[in-house]
Amino acid sequence: MKLNIAVLPGDGIGPEVTDQAIKVLQAIALEFDHTFIFKQASVGAIAIDETGSPLPDATLALCKQSDAVLFGAIGDPKYDNNPNAKVRPEQGLLKLRKELGLFANIRPVKAYDMLLDKSPLKKENIKNTDISIYRELTGGIYFGEKKLNDTETVASDLCEYSQEEIERITHLAFKAAQTRRKKVTLVDKANVLETSRLWRKVVKQVAAQYSDVELDFLFVDNAAMQMILNPKQFDVILTENMFGDIISDEASVIGGSIGLLASASVGNKHAMFEPIHGSYPQAKGKGIANPVASILSAAMLLDHFKLHNEANMIRLGVEKSLQLQITTPDLNTKHENITTDKVGNFIEDFISHPKDTNLNFANIHLGQSTII
Ligand code: IPM
Ligand code: MG
């Protein structure tokens, strides 16, 4: 298969983790005889520095022409601490989601057996957790009208949803549930918000077309608690934009590191793949950022094009790296000096010689005496 992939590394650790995903995709292309063409463009704070815009026209045009977008991370402390900034890096990401029509953001959350003790949660509570979060991505409070009065003392953000916006992601969530454990949980705040009541009504109507899937409802405050108490109860979580943002960061605690969580954002025409973590500016250039979320996002990209064997190969490589603790310091207590790059190299090597784990391991330690 030939794929044109737009690469938007963005800010902070974005470039270094995205490099690992590209490396891994190139290994897949070689092994499985595909052609992946990568074209890079700027987005976020770095794009503001270069062009004044967080999403330059050329970047948007490249994304629209490509089959898929691989995104790194966005954000810079110089904007976070400046509420008066008129242009912000995050606007680039939000505009990109809107312009590409990426209305569904899919965030898988898994507790890997070998990482159970990395989570602050009790092992027995999280073991076997396997959740797929369907977060609406182009509506709600993120995109509603924003107001600030003249004296800058009163502000508001409108939260709006239409039936159509709810329906399209609901279909995707139910279809996903049909291939999983056949349960959808709608997370909302229907005891308070009108938009949530509309979500309940529309989701119930759509659910009638999927009689094999069970539907239940949870208020978001309760869902936040249940996520920690008993995450195994969840299969597919369906929710609106902001609740999905919050719940998915919370859910990352189950896996042991936010550096593991990948995501796919899909619409009718375009698709983008990105880690759920931010730009982690403190770690920039230090080689300590976990590239697994970006690498697993590349696996989701392959799944999107029905290259499931290829995607599974990446996942096997990731699992092997976790088993051997070829991991960055956020997860590692065994080996020293396993950098972002070395994790990428290991998984790349695994794809080329899956049976030769000892060699893969030795290769990442080239120049060191550690050979097992
Ligand atoms: C995410 C991020 C973004 C969001 C930010 C960077 C705008 O937190 O993708 O979860 O809030 O959607
Ligand atoms: Mg977020």
Side-chain angles (χ1 to χ4, degrees), residues 23-131:
K23 205 184 261 179
V24 165
L25 282 171
Q26 271 161 341
I28 290 285
L30 209 65
E31 286 307 304
F32 291 82
D33 212 8
H34 299 301
T35 307
F36 300 151
I37 298 160
F38 299 95
K39 287 201 181 127
Q40 206 149 316
S42 70
V43 72
I46 186 157
I48 300 178
D49 292 345
E50 281 168 20
T51 68
S53 159
L55 181 65
D57 291 345
T59 301
L60 182 59
L62 176 70
C63 293
K64 286 191 170 166
Q65 288 155 18
S66 303
D67 299 303
V69 181
L70 194 60
F71 194 93
I74 210 160
D76 188 294
K78 74 180 173 214
Y79 298 94
D80 296 346
N81 304 326
N82 175 10
N84 295 324
K86 290 279 175 280
V87 188
R88 317 184 69 85
E90 289 78 5
Q91 289 163 346
L93 178 57
L94 298 181
K95 184 165 174 210
L96 194 57
R97 290 171 176 170
K98 194 74 169 178
E99 289 275 344
L100 299 181
L102 307 174
F103 61 82
N105 180 224
I106 304 149
R107 299 186 158 183
V109 177
K110 235 179 108 164
Y112 291 98
D113 276 347
M114 50 279 197
L115 295 179
L116 291 177
D117 58 357
K118 305 287 177 203
S119 172
L121 303 175
K122 286 205 183 94
K123 271 193 212 179
E124 61 271 26
N125 289 350
I126 58 173
K127 191 174 164 52
N128 296 327
T129 296
D130 180 0
I131 308 173

Side-chain angles (χ1 to χ4, degrees), residues 222-290:
N222 188 12
M225 184 170 70
Q226 297 298 330
M227 184 65 80
I228 300 298
L229 289 177
N230 178 19
K232 271 180 279 196
Q233 70 187 284
F234 297 117
D235 178 18
V236 172
I237 290 181
L238 169 62
T239 191
E240 58 104 82
N241 203 342
M242 185 146 90
F243 297 159
D245 179 43
I246 298 167
I247 285 276
S248 57
D249 263 33
E250 188 193 14
S252 75
V253 173
I254 295 164
S257 170
I258 195 167
L260 297 173
L261 257 66
S263 86
S265 303
V266 301
N268 294 329
K269 275 224 300 276
H270 301 284
M272 181 160 99
F273 302 86
E274 56 172 311
I276 85 153
H277 61 68
S279 59
Y280 192 12
Q282 307 85 332
K284 183 181 173 172
K286 293 192 181 147
I288 57 171
N290 193 336

